[in-house]
Amino acid sequence: MSDPDMSPNNDRKPGVASLRLAMLVTHADTAGSVSLDELLAAMGRTSIAFAILILSLPALTPIPGPFGMVFGTCLAIIAVQIMAGFQRIWLPRFLGRRRISANVISLVVRYTGPLVSRVETILRRNRMRHFAGRTAQSLLGIPVFLLAIAVALPIPFGNFLPVAALVMIALGLMERDGLIVMLGVALAVVALATSGGLIYGALRSLGWAIG
């Protein structure tokens, strides 16, 4: 008979982000659709980390439409506010009033939930917290801005690494886990280099086709 203490922990409680995402799905199902302003408010409008998370996840979901461009643009605007030291975020009205159906939100959470859960398993609250404090957060606006541009660009298969880096940075900030934030920044470097390589390859192929 197996020792319960040695068996895998299958009843691990969901993290804060997973719980907030589940609450968001419930809210969207009740309302039918939500605007981006309502989306940020539901996720904790004063929390920049939640905003980074919820705006990066749709770019990883195979849904039709220019979602990468829309959410990447929102992320870029927020990144500028992060660099400026804002503690409360806002979006221009033409973006904030854009509505998203409950079906799309449910698909995003269902499709990206496993990635969020995997990162949550390695989070440790207040670990190396000086890398996840307010000063560090302002500096993180730079990689978030560059990742937002990568997300907004229509690069085939180019969204996974930038979004994974954004998820790590966002979850690290939520739990004040500086190690995860730094790992997210390291992944951001890899993601940006990969995106640059994909863009270069696409331009070379286009030049070859034209010339």
Side-chain angles (χ1 to χ4, degrees):
M1 185 171 64
S2 62
D3 185 346
D5 291 334
M6 298 299 292
S7 61
N9 185 10
N10 293 323
D11 59 350
R12 183 183 63 84
K13 293 182 180 179
V16 174
S18 292
L19 290 173
R20 287 291 184 93
L21 289 173
M23 290 169 57
L24 179 60
V25 171
T26 301
H27 172 73
D29 285 342
T30 301
S33 67
V34 295
S35 68
L36 285 177
D37 277 340
E38 292 168 344
L39 189 69
L40 295 181
M43 291 300 292
R45 190 177 178 89
T46 57
S47 173
I48 288 176
F50 279 125
I52 295 172
L53 178 69
I54 197 59
L55 292 175
S56 60
L57 292 178
L60 202 60
T61 310
I63 43 182
F67 280 91
M69 181 176 297
V70 171
F71 287 98
T73 300
C74 293
L75 276 168
I77 292 171
I78 288 174
V80 172
Q81 296 175 55
I82 294 173
M83 288 185 278
F86 288 19
Q87 295 302 305
R88 183 176 178 85
I89 60 173
W90 62 271
L91 292 173
R93 289 192 66 186
F94 76 94
L95 287 174
R97 296 174 65 180
R98 188 181 181 101
R99 301 195 71 82
I100 306 167
S101 72
N103 288 337
V104 169
I105 291 174
S106 179
L107 176 64
V108 168
V109 174
R110 184 170 68 250
Y111 195 83
T112 61
L115 173 62
V116 174
S117 296
R118 280 195 291 271
V119 178
E120 285 179 330
T121 61
I122 59 176
L123 289 171
R124 298 292 181 272
R125 187 162 186 82
N126 292 325
R127 177 171 54 184
M128 299 171 60
R129 62 177 300 166
H130 50 285
F131 288 119
R134 182 169 297 182
T135 301
Q137 182 173 280
S138 297
L139 296 175
L140 287 171
I142 298 171
V144 170
F145 181 80
L146 296 175
L147 290 167
I149 294 174
V151 168
L153 293 175
I155 305 173
F157 311 108
N159 277 341
F160 180 77
L161 286 178
V163 171
L166 286 165
V167 168
M168 292 186 72
I169 291 172
L171 295 181
L173 287 174
M174 287 180 205
E175 296 291 346
R176 293 291 187 268
D177 189 337
L179 178 59
I180 297 302
V181 170
M182 290 298 99
L183 290 176
V185 171
L187 183 57
V189 174
V190 175
L192 293 171
T194 302
S195 297
L198 290 172
I199 294 172
Y200 177 76
L203 292 176
R204 284 289 300 270
S205 298
L206 181 62
W208 177 83
I210 295 175

